[in-house]
Amino acid sequence: MKLVLNGHDERYIVEQSLMNLFPGEKPVYEPILPGDDSWAVVSLREEADRCHVTVELSFQGRTAPYSCGAPLTGTDFEKEGQRRHTIARCFFLAARAATGVTPPWGMLTGVRPDKPVTWALAEGKTAEQARAMLENDYFVSPSRATLALETGSAALTAARKLGEKDIAVYVGIPFCPTRCSYCSFVSHSVERSFALVPPYVDALVEEIRAGGEMACREGLRVRAFYMGGGTPTTLTAQQMDRVLTAFEESFDILPCEEITVEAGRPDTITAEKLAVLKSHGVTRVSVNPQTMEDHVLRAIGRCHTAGDIERAMELVAAYGFPHVNMDLIAGLPEDSPEGFRRSLDRCLAFGTDNVTVHTLALKRGSRILTEGLSIPDGAAVAEMLDYAEPVLRRTGYAPYYLYRQKQMSGSFENIGWCKTGAECWYNIYIMSELCSILSFGAGGSTKMVEPGTNRIERVFNLKYPKEYTERPEKCLENQAAFAAFYQNL
């Protein structure tokens, strides 16, 4: 879609709205020519205390002009937010007029659409006022407003448990048995990169120990630990023991309410590895089948079957972990609404207290895009999600966190469901940006959050395992930045 911006240069908010409302359209900043049928002119005019936005938009033969106005009050930062909101609102209304389509999340384009609810509740608004705000101000559908109210309320509960120096720890293991067709993470097949694993573990243990010393000096308290990937259980039992031991010996783990490890792929789960996790007090294990349909597993590049998943779940159950999570993805290649329903029903039969229902996100670099794999359309994905919610509610699950990603099928969301008392607090902390996340490992994203504000800073570890192991000084620089952040609060 050709875009012309007059009186402003708010490209980011316009482009985010474009991706949300016109999937597949890309922004092009070129003059609009006669005969063009995909374009928008977004104009901003300001008076002393008010901004006026006009959007003229054309799409597939339908042209829709729309105008919005809003007062500008408060600080310069607050005024900037008000301008952006007005531009996004006006673009959304023009697009809706031209297409007749209202996405389920309305004009919200961010990763965390329940944040406005958490803020509203924290300010003293009632649940009904928060819901009305989403529906009336952001055009969110009633069903999504209900979800956001539930997860936003869970975030507020989590926030009230945290102190100023409470943090969470993330450890990344960027290795998998094979690469799934939907994946764009920096992860390496262990079969092809086996030689990288031992030096990676050595470097990771050293980084964790240095980070623990820094956290102790700054008086930081770890409230949640999460080991993800990749697939952490691609490590051997001995390697996992080394990593978990480094964490236990380097941090005060008494305040740590939960220790989560993604076991992920059933073809990496063994009794020996589960025994190691149990010995270290792991409280939550994630087994992530993504589907229980064998032909879909083959389509996404998995080298295991649904029967392997069932055997892995029996083994996990035998070790008696307090909480077990299973992940499914709606919209995978070769899947169907009927297949997704079968997958969900089979997962629920295991009796796990956590189920995460993801919506497929089309990520650059994934085989789905590079090879043009066939995937279900938005209507089929909606049918999958429309089945999941009532079934999960009837069987005792409630939503406790959600987030969105770019290029999601049908513009839907990812939702974590759990039974009462089985929340994964780390997921809430990171998705609602409630506390700092100290990340270890290649590609780690350390997030520094000032409690009670929107101030967030980030530093990043080196992306690839080889350069991560060869340049430990970058990790130390990031830890120094983390310490400085807390010294300056």
Side-chain angles (χ1 to χ4, degrees):
M1 177 177 283
K2 290 186 175 180
L3 298 174
V4 175
L5 309 183
N6 295 325
H8 67 97
D9 192 29
E10 296 290 353
R11 293 192 176 199
Y12 179 80
I13 192 65
V14 174
E15 289 176 4
Q16 292 299 302
S17 298
L18 173 66
M19 288 190 292
N20 180 41
L21 297 160
F22 300 96
E25 289 284 318
K26 297 187 182 302
V28 178
Y29 294 92
E30 294 178 357
I32 299 168
L33 304 175
D36 289 340
D37 68 349
S38 178
W39 54 265
V41 179
V42 184
S43 303
L44 171 70
R45 177 174 57 85
E46 288 192 35
E47 297 172 353
D49 58 355
R50 194 169 182 82
C51 68
H52 300 272
V53 176
T54 300
V55 175
E56 297 176 78
L57 186 148
S58 179
F59 187 71
Q60 295 181 349
R62 292 195 63 185
T63 301
Y66 218 97
S67 296
C68 300
L72 298 174
T73 61
T75 65
D76 288 344
F77 178 78
E78 290 168 331
K79 289 178 180 178
E80 183 179 12
Q82 292 156 6
R83 289 186 197 96
R84 289 176 175 173
H85 178 82
T86 306
I87 290 170
R89 179 185 178 91
C90 199
F91 190 94
F92 170 82
L93 292 171
R96 187 171 70 168
T99 64
V101 174
T102 301
W105 286 102
M107 62 176 280
L108 291 175
T109 61
V111 173
R112 302 164 184 88
D114 57 354
K115 262 194 168 185
V117 171
T118 305
W119 295 336
L121 295 175
E123 292 169 359
K125 289 185 170 59
T126 67
E128 285 309 310
Q129 287 172 326
R131 185 201 306 273
M133 172 196 66
L134 284 182
E135 294 184 22
N136 298 332
D137 296 349
Y138 295 97
F139 311 99
V140 175
S141 72
S143 65
R144 264 53 191 186
T146 297
L147 284 172
L149 183 60
E150 291 173 286
T151 58
S153 298
L156 183 61
T157 298
R160 288 172 172 165
K161 295 171 55 176
L162 293 170
E164 283 193 357
K165 290 203 169 183
D166 285 350
I167 67 170
V169 165
Y170 177 85
V171 173
I173 308 297
F175 302 100
C176 281
T178 59
R179 189 177 182 88
C180 295
S181 64
Y182 53 80
C183 183
S184 66
F185 287 120
V186 178
S187 59
H188 293 252
S189 165
V190 169
E191 293 177 339
R192 297 182 180 180
S193 308
F194 183 78
L196 292 174
V197 179
Y200 180 84
V201 172
D202 290 341
L204 181 61
V205 166
E206 290 304 311
E207 185 192 8
I208 291 171
R209 293 193 182 281
E213 292 177 7
M214 177 274 295
C216 289
R217 287 195 304 269
E218 301 305 323
L220 304 177
R221 214 167 59 139
V222 178
R223 301 301 301 276
F225 171 93
Y226 195 103
M227 186 188 293
T231 304
T233 42
T234 53
L235 300 184
T236 66
Q238 292 75 21
Q239 289 166 339
M240 293 177 66
D241 179 65
R242 284 189 64 200
V243 173
L244 291 169
T245 298
F247 170 66
E248 291 171 350
E249 293 179 349
S250 305
F251 290 84
D252 177 8
I253 65 170
L254 285 178
C256 188
E257 295 181 280
E258 62 181 29
I259 300 175
T260 298
V261 175
E262 288 186 0
R265 302 275 285 267
D267 43 347
T268 67
I269 297 173
T270 67
E272 185 183 13
K273 294 176 186 179
L274 294 177
V276 167
L277 300 186
K278 188 70 174 178
S279 71
H280 285 282
V282 169
T283 58
R284 175 178 282 97
V285 172
S286 292
V287 180
N288 304 330
Q290 316 305 4
T291 177
M292 297 294 287
E293 298 281 285
D294 283 339
H295 72 284
V296 181
L297 287 169
R298 288 192 295 272
I300 65 174
R302 293 285 185 107
C303 295
H304 62 80
T305 66
D308 295 327
I309 296 165
E310 292 180 344
R311 286 185 286 274
M313 288 299 295
E314 290 173 1
L315 191 57
V316 168
Y319 279 85
F321 292 97
H323 305 290
V324 179
N325 174 77
M326 298 187 80
D327 280 10
L328 291 175
I329 299 178
L332 288 173
E334 307 301 330
D335 206 357
S336 65
E338 296 78 18
F340 180 83
R341 288 198 291 269
R342 288 191 294 267
S343 293
L344 179 59
D345 291 345
R346 290 178 75 179
C347 285
L348 294 179
F350 294 118
T352 60
D353 57 6
N354 279 250
V355 175
T356 308
V357 178
H358 295 271
T359 301
L360 179 68
L362 299 175
K363 300 175 182 178
R364 286 184 299 176
S366 68
R367 287 199 298 109
I368 289 177
L369 290 184
T370 59
E371 298 179 11
L373 302 182
S374 174
I375 59 174
D377 62 18
V381 174
E383 192 175 340
M384 297 174 187
L385 300 179
D386 287 346
Y387 176 78
E389 179 174 349
V391 167
L392 286 161
R393 290 189 186 278
R394 282 199 306 271
T395 47
Y397 298 83
Y400 74 98
Y401 83 102
L402 65 82
Y403 67 103
R404 301 177 69 208
Q405 295 169 279
K406 294 178 181 178
Q407 303 295 334
M408 297 190 81
S409 295
S411 193
F412 292 114
E413 67 287 312
N414 305 317
I415 304 176
W417 297 83
C418 73
K419 293 186 176 179
T420 303
E423 297 86 353
C424 178
W425 296 107
Y426 175 87
N427 285 334
I428 300 177
Y429 296 157
I430 190 168
M431 290 305 163
S432 296
E433 297 180 319
L434 300 180
C435 71
S436 296
I437 309 293
L438 179 58
S439 294
F440 299 105
S445 172
T446 285
K447 183 183 299 184
M448 295 163 277
V449 178
E450 183 176 350
T453 74
N454 289 324
R455 181 189 167 208
I456 297 174
E457 296 181 15
R458 293 175 174 84
V459 291
F460 304 93
N461 278 2
L462 294 168
K463 192 173 183 181
Y464 297 102
K466 190 173 188 300
E467 62 178 350
Y468 165 80
T469 61
E470 293 173 348
R471 294 183 54 195
E473 68 276 7
K474 181 65 170 70
C475 298
L476 296 177
E477 290 172 11
N478 291 346
Q479 290 179 15
F482 198 86
F485 180 86
Y486 277 92
Q487 292 163 4
N488 295 326
L489 286 182

